[in-house]
């Protein structure tokens, strides 16, 4: 049985939808930012906290857990700067309790959701996993701390782990029934689509004077189902013993500027956006694009969805959510 912590969140719920096809799944989520309705009915759902030993003991005593996949974290860069305690508490301290419990029950396989924010402001076209990690905010530091803890636990306790550093997760499940549901929403693609659905007056482009061809920031957008598939390959690699420890980037290898994303949203929806050009948002690197060559070579994974397909799937979801949302828990 596989324990998915944070399985009611955006990325966790997409992983669960794929994983229930192959494994028995138990989801632990405190629903602080996740939603019960996002969890596939075939998974066992437990509402509880990964920092709470009683909640964890109850699960590990009852179920034969083979591996833990950990998606439960706070992930807003700006919030982490003004409230670092929350980030170190939830992302670091609570994760340590989870790891301690795994060791107590002799569960040795762990998959960890990390982030491009561990790199800081890299000075390369394509970021490889051996680029220096210099996070510039508490969110990125909280994720890097766990990566370092995992390396120490592997040496000392024989923990097997895969760290997956996501770039810009986007898009929604092809069914259109689960997708991104953050409150507040800060990410570019959902904000643009909410605007094009008439839920926001306009969109703001944060900065037009970056050192990029059109002056706006470039990011690597990766479909959430592509991310989910990478997790399943990583899990198989741990369970079969093919891998003991690994760190992989997950991206498309293609960068798109903020302007290009907005234009693609306009093309997909056939609607025109009202754009306001504003100052830079603090802490935004000009360009973050992944090389995902390593996971392709070692596990055979590569991104399959294009930016247009990512936006098409997100558009389907946002339209569904607009009409059906009120009837879901
Ligand atoms: N942007 C706008 N207007 C908006 C929202 C975003 O111009 O209303 C711009 C941002 O300035 C940025 C780009 O769109 O240049 C993408 O922004 P997102 O907020 O969608 O995503 P980020 O690249 O900031 O964040 C992602 C992940 C984080 C991770 C970070 C690493 O969501 O978890 O990359 O830098 F920490």
């Amino acid at each position: 049985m596989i324990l998915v912590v944070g399985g009611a969140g955006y990325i966790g719920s997409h992983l669960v939808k794929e994983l229930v096809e192959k494994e028995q799944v138990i989801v632990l989520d405190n629903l602080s930012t996740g939603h019960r309705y996002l969890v596939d009915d075939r998974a066992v759902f437990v509402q509880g906290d990964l920092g709470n030993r009683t909640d964890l003991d109850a699960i590990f005593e009852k179920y034969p857990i083979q591996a833990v996949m950990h998606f439960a974290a706070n992930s807003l860069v700006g919030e982490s700067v003004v409230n670092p305690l929350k980030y170190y508490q939830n992302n670091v301290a609570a994760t340590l309790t989870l790891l301690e419990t795994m060791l107590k029950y002799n569960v040795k396989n762990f998959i960890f959701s990390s982030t491009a924010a561990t790199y800081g402001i890299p000075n390369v076209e394509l970021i490889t996993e051996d680029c220096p990690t210099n996070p510039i905010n508490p969110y990125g530091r909280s994720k890097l701390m766990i990566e370092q803890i995992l390396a120490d636990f592997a040496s000392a306790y024989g923990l097997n782990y895969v760290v997956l550093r996501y770039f810009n997760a986007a898009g929604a499940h092809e069914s259109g029934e689960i997708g991104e549901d953050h409150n507040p929403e800060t990410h570019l693609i959902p904000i643009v689509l909410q605007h094009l659905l008439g839920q926001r007056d306009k969109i703001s482009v944060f900065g037009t004077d970056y050192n990029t061809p059109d002056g706006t920031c470039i990011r690597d957008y990766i479909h959430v189902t592509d991310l989910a598939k990478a997790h399943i390959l990583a899990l198989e690699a741990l369970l079969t013993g093919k891998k003991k420890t690994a760190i992989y980037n997950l991206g498309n290898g293609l960068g798109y500027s903020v302007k290009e994303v907005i234009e693609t949203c306009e093309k997909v929806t056939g609607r025109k956006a009202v754009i306001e050009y504003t100052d830079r948002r603090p802490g935004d690197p000009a360009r973050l694009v992944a090389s995902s060559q390593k996971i392709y070579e070692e596990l055979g994974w590569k991104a399959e969805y294009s930016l247009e397909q990512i936006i098409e799937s997100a558009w389907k979801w946002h339209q569904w959510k607009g009409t059906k949302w009120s009837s879901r828990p």
Side-chain angles (χ1 to χ4, degrees):
M1 215 165 178
I2 310 299
L3 173 61
V4 180
V5 184
Y10 170 44
I11 301 171
S13 62
H14 285 76
L15 172 274
V16 168
K17 229 179 178 36
E18 301 293 320
L19 191 60
V20 288
E21 303 286 342
K22 298 170 186 279
E23 302 274 358
Q24 284 186 294
V25 178
I26 173 158
V27 169
L28 172 69
D29 201 300
N30 64 9
L31 300 183
S32 61
T33 57
H35 303 278
R36 179 68 183 86
Y37 81 88
L38 291 177
V39 181
D40 192 285
D41 291 339
R42 287 166 286 179
V44 175
F45 179 76
V46 176
Q47 185 168 352
D49 206 294
L50 78 144
N52 182 320
R53 287 190 168 78
T54 313
D55 291 346
L56 293 175
D57 279 332
I59 291 171
F60 282 81
E61 267 161 26
K62 185 165 178 193
Y63 300 103
I65 308 291
Q66 297 163 273
V68 177
M69 306 176 90
H70 178 24
F71 297 83
N74 296 108
S75 60
L76 299 176
V77 168
E79 184 189 49
S80 79
V81 175
V82 294
N83 194 358
L85 178 62
K86 178 175 176 182
Y87 280 69
Y88 293 124
Q89 191 78 56
N90 292 348
N91 294 4
V92 182
T95 301
L96 265 179
T97 305
L98 174 66
L99 290 168
E100 185 187 354
T101 309
M102 286 176 61
L103 295 176
K104 178 175 161 188
Y105 291 90
N106 204 28
V107 177
K108 293 282 177 73
N109 297 311
F110 190 65
I111 297 193
F112 180 60
S113 301
S114 190
T115 169
T118 53
Y119 292 110
I121 306 183
N123 197 14
V124 290
E125 280 285 296
L126 283 183
I127 301 168
T128 51
E129 292 82 352
D130 53 10
C131 282
T133 44
N134 291 309
I136 56 166
N137 50 61
Y139 168 62
R141 279 191 280 277
S142 74
K143 290 288 183 177
L144 185 60
M145 283 175 193
I146 295 297
E147 291 193 14
Q148 292 164 335
I149 288 167
L150 291 175
D152 290 339
F153 278 30
S155 313
Y157 311 126
L159 182 77
N160 307 314
Y161 70 85
V162 176
V163 164
L164 298 172
R165 291 179 179 155
Y166 311 156
F167 281 63
N168 286 59
H173 193 263
E174 60 187 13
S175 66
E177 294 195 354
I178 63 170
E180 202 163 0
D181 189 0
H182 295 123
N183 189 15
E185 187 52 79
T186 61
H187 295 112
L188 179 63
I189 291 175
I191 283 178
V192 176
L193 296 180
Q194 286 171 356
H195 165 61
L196 294 174
L197 271 173
Q199 296 165 4
R200 293 172 185 263
D201 294 349
K202 56 180 188 266
I203 47 183
S204 303
V205 171
F206 301 141
T208 52
D209 58 350
Y210 285 96
N211 184 19
T212 59
D214 68 16
T216 65
C217 287
I218 293 178
R219 292 287 179 276
D220 181 331
Y221 295 88
I222 175 83
H223 195 282
V224 66
T225 298
D226 278 331
L227 290 183
K229 288 180 176 161
H231 284 78
I232 288 177
L233 291 173
L235 178 67
E236 282 168 3
L238 287 183
L239 293 179
T240 58
K242 182 175 173 187
K243 282 280 162 198
K244 296 274 179 217
T245 66
I247 297 181
Y248 298 118
N249 286 340
L250 295 180
N252 242 307
L254 297 170
Y256 292 97
S257 73
V258 173
K259 279 187 181 165
E260 287 170 326
V261 169
I262 295 171
E263 282 161 16
T264 311
C265 289
E266 290 181 325
K267 185 176 161 208
V268 165
T269 62
R271 300 181 185 191
K272 191 92 192 111
V274 177
I275 302 170
E276 170 189 60
Y277 295 97
T278 65
D279 289 345
R280 292 181 176 199
R281 186 172 70 176
D284 274 341
R287 179 185 161 92
L288 282 176
V289 182
S291 161
S292 295
Q293 192 60 23
K294 186 177 170 202
I295 189 166
Y296 176 65
E297 283 168 12
E298 296 189 6
L299 303 186
W301 177 88
K302 66 175 172 32
E304 283 170 8
Y305 286 78
S306 66
L307 180 66
E308 203 162 312
Q309 289 170 317
I310 288 172
I311 292 171
E312 278 165 4
S313 68
W315 180 235
K316 192 168 160 187
W317 154 249
H318 281 280
Q319 288 173 299
W320 181 89
K321 190 174 161 245
T323 54
K324 300 274 173 38
W325 163 241
S326 56
S327 64
R328 302 301 293 251

